Amino acid sequence: MACANFSSLDRDLPCNGLLAALTFAAALGMLAISLFWPYLLPFAFSIEQVATPHSKLAFVLLAAGTFILPLMLLFTAIN
């Protein structure tokens, strides 16, 4: 007996495995390119030049861990 309310996302397409493999290969390729060519703008700025100082990153991590994460957990628990 067939269901009448199938959407197009519920059907198995014959190319789903191929699309998943291509997506994985593309992501892996972009990672490989970023490791060997670390410029955000071609030949202008590297990742180290545009990164924020470690003190600011530590402050953001502390703020997120102290305030944002408990609020998210509280909101999730209430809902």
Side-chain angles (χ1 to χ4, degrees):
M1 181 172 225
C3 294
N5 292 330
F6 270 122
S7 71
S8 62
L9 295 176
D10 292 333
R11 295 187 193 120
D12 271 337
L13 298 176
C15 60
N16 277 349
L18 177 64
L19 291 176
L22 286 175
T23 302
F24 179 76
L28 191 62
M30 294 302 285
L31 177 65
I33 288 171
S34 71
L35 290 175
F36 296 112
W37 195 45
Y39 294 104
L40 295 178
L41 293 173
F43 305 109
F45 297 108
S46 68
I47 294 173
E48 289 84 15
Q49 290 173 330
V50 298
T52 188
H54 290 289
S55 60
K56 287 186 182 181
L57 290 174
F59 174 74
V60 169
L61 180 64
L62 181 66
T66 304
F67 300 109
I68 305 299
L69 186 63
L71 285 176
M72 286 178 21
L73 292 174
L74 178 67
F75 179 77
T76 302
I78 289 173
N79 285 325

